[in-house]
Amino acid sequence: MPHKLSSPHSWLLLLLLMLTTPSMAQRVRFGFKGGVDVATMSLNRDVLKSDNRLGFFIGPTLTSDVPFTGLGFDISVLYNQREAKVYDEFHNTDNLKQKQVVIPLNARYSVALGDFANIFVSAGPQVGFTVGDDVQDLDEMIDRAQEWRLKKSNFSINVGGGFTVGHIQISANYNVGVGKTGDATWGDAWEAAKDGWNGRYNAWQIGVAYLF
């Protein structure tokens, strides 16, 4: 029976193999990418809400284009730091931070604008691995001892586009979390039972890359 691609990591491996296949990698450019993102935290209970917060990402990137088709791929390995300011119905606030190494891998379709420029649309999966504190205290928000526990890894989807002029590439995309990013739990002095919320990050991202 053929092997089924049942996990995000399997899809990532398949697309990496496509990038390194000679027929798919006629033109490869390596560079560095950095930018900012505006993250929002979606929670599944109304009692906790969030504000937009500014984050950043930086790291190496690689693009691959198939001649005469407009098709291509790009892959990056980025350090990504995000924050979200959460608050409850009493207007108590605290900050959640997420520090990850993320690997976005996008399929692209480009339209040439002369010999040295193009515009493109892109979409694809992203896998993130937590490298910062995965347990964070939220004691400033409520009287009970509360913690936010980040998942060790996350899967998300990117949708966006941009343009390239010479060595410079400008891109913008929306990153949508698939599944929860983490959950909040707390303990009460009068009872041992636990309850909690879970949530996920979504973010608008604007990036600048220099391609050799």
Side-chain angles (χ1 to χ4, degrees):
M1 294 179 62
H3 178 65
K4 294 184 177 180
L5 298 175
S6 57
S7 71
H9 302 81
S10 298
W11 284 108
L12 185 62
L13 179 59
L14 175 62
L15 289 175
L16 280 172
L17 291 174
M18 293 173 68
L19 275 172
T20 57
T21 301
S23 62
M24 296 297 292
Q26 298 295 328
R27 187 187 182 199
V28 176
R29 302 179 72 183
F30 176 80
F32 291 93
K33 182 177 183 178
V36 297
D37 60 26
V38 180
T40 61
M41 174 66 82
S42 300
L43 298 144
N44 69 344
R45 296 286 184 90
D46 291 336
V47 68
L48 286 183
K49 301 179 181 180
S50 68
D51 288 338
N52 292 338
R53 295 300 295 271
L54 193 65
F56 69 92
F57 55 89
I58 189 170
T61 187
L62 181 148
T63 67
S64 174
D65 297 313
V66 182
F68 312 114
T69 66
L71 299 176
F73 300 91
D74 64 73
I75 182 171
S76 304
V77 180
L78 308 171
Y79 173 77
N80 186 200
Q81 181 170 308
R82 297 176 175 178
E83 292 187 19
K85 184 179 181 180
V86 295
Y87 58 95
D88 60 20
E89 74 272 28
F90 303 111
H91 301 288
N92 300 311
T93 64
D94 217 326
N95 291 334
L96 297 175
K97 293 184 179 181
Q98 183 185 42
K99 301 176 182 179
Q100 286 194 315
V101 172
V102 299
I103 305 175
L105 183 51
N106 300 311
R108 301 188 304 161
Y109 180 77
S110 304
V111 177
L113 302 175
D115 294 333
F116 301 102
N118 66 63
I119 58 174
F120 63 88
V121 292
S122 62
Q126 174 174 296
V127 179
F129 303 94
T130 298
V131 295
D133 297 332
D134 58 353
V135 178
Q136 301 175 32
D137 293 327
L138 298 180
D139 293 333
E140 296 181 9
M141 269 189 47
I142 55 178
D143 294 333
R144 294 175 292 182
Q146 184 168 330
E147 290 182 336
W148 180 261
R149 296 179 179 270
L150 289 168
K151 294 181 64 179
K152 296 293 185 181
S153 63
N154 302 114
F155 180 66
S156 56
I157 299 294
N158 292 313
V159 179
F163 63 91
T164 305
V165 178
H167 294 280
I168 304 299
Q169 179 176 282
I170 309 294
S171 61
N173 67 269
Y174 191 59
N175 177 247
V176 183
V178 178
K180 67 180 183 180
T181 302
D183 52 46
T185 61
W186 67 88
D188 193 300
W190 299 102
E191 58 185 42
K194 290 186 177 181
D195 197 356
W197 299 287
N198 61 71
R200 64 186 182 187
Y201 277 106
N202 297 327
W204 282 103
Q205 299 176 322
I206 300 175
V208 180
Y210 185 88
L211 303 173
F212 297 98

